[in-house]
Amino acid sequence: HGLRTAAIASPSPRVGQRVLAVGGSSGKVRYTVGHVTGLRTKVTADDETGGQERLSGLIEFDARPQPGDSGGPLLDLRGNVLGVDTAGETKTSFYDLSQREHDSYAIPIGHALAVVHAIEQGRGSSTLHVGATAYLGIELDPTSTRAGATVVGAVQGSPAARIGLGAGSRITAADGRAIT
């Protein structure tokens, strides 16, 4: 209440520029300071389910946001938004365990705003889903070698639970197509 809306940075960031990465993973707003170390960077990010996603066009920086700070702004020193913090990694030197390298990544704010505008206008694409997401509410066994998808659990009250799917169920087809 009563706060000013953050301004969008112009021009785009440049390598060597000092930045602030802001996040709230600890329940408190915190920031770390660093420098832009790369532009239009490509990375493969792991998610909490073990999946991977290829990200490109990112701002790379050496500030040290914490896990859970994703979604916070990457700011220039005037408080203008450069991007949205999205991924990071920590590497330890093989020779000196006290030397830690931090690579963090942000989606450029122009790209993030383009996605926001597409969603507002209801324009989906092959990489942007607009609307309700399908939800069965099941957990699958990723190690099963049996035909179909082996269910190990169903979320209480989910569509799957309502139709009787649960631990031990096997889904062998969806919409008439066999699941292998």
Side-chain angles (χ1 to χ4, degrees):
H1 178 69
L3 296 175
R4 227 174 15 125
T5 301
I8 304 303
S10 181
S12 298
R14 65 189 186 293
V15 171
Q17 179 177 354
R18 288 191 61 170
V19 293
L20 301 170
V22 179
S25 62
S26 62
K28 297 181 227 171
V29 176
R30 54 182 295 286
Y31 69 92
T32 58
V33 181
H35 296 86
V36 173
T37 57
L39 300 171
R40 295 178 296 283
T41 303
K42 295 179 184 179
V43 298
T44 300
D46 296 332
D47 67 22
E48 59 276 352
T49 65
Q52 293 187 325
E53 183 177 4
R54 185 83 174 135
L55 305 172
S56 62
L58 302 176
I59 302 166
E60 183 176 352
F61 58 99
D62 62 2
R64 301 176 183 186
Q66 299 298 308
D69 282 350
S70 294
L74 180 67
L75 306 168
D76 65 19
L77 294 185
R78 299 176 93 152
N80 299 312
V81 180
L82 297 166
V84 180
D85 302 336
T86 193
E89 64 181 332
T90 300
K91 299 179 224 164
T92 302
S93 167
F94 178 74
Y95 299 104
D96 182 357
L97 295 178
S98 68
Q99 294 296 316
R100 297 183 82 88
E101 215 178 285
H102 298 271
D103 294 325
S104 300
Y105 305 92
I107 299 167
I109 194 61
H111 180 75
L113 289 173
V115 171
V116 168
H117 296 310
I119 292 169
E120 288 174 335
Q121 295 169 5
R123 291 182 299 134
S125 70
S126 63
T127 58
L128 177 62
H129 176 83
V130 177
T133 302
Y135 173 70
L136 289 176
I138 57 174
E139 298 173 53
L140 300 175
D141 178 359
T143 63
S144 175
T145 57
R146 299 176 67 191
T150 303
V151 177
V152 294
V155 175
Q156 187 175 3
S158 69
R162 286 195 299 271
I163 64 166
L165 287 177
S169 298
R170 229 169 9 132
I171 303 170
T172 58
D175 197 25
R177 292 182 161 179
I179 296 175
T180 59

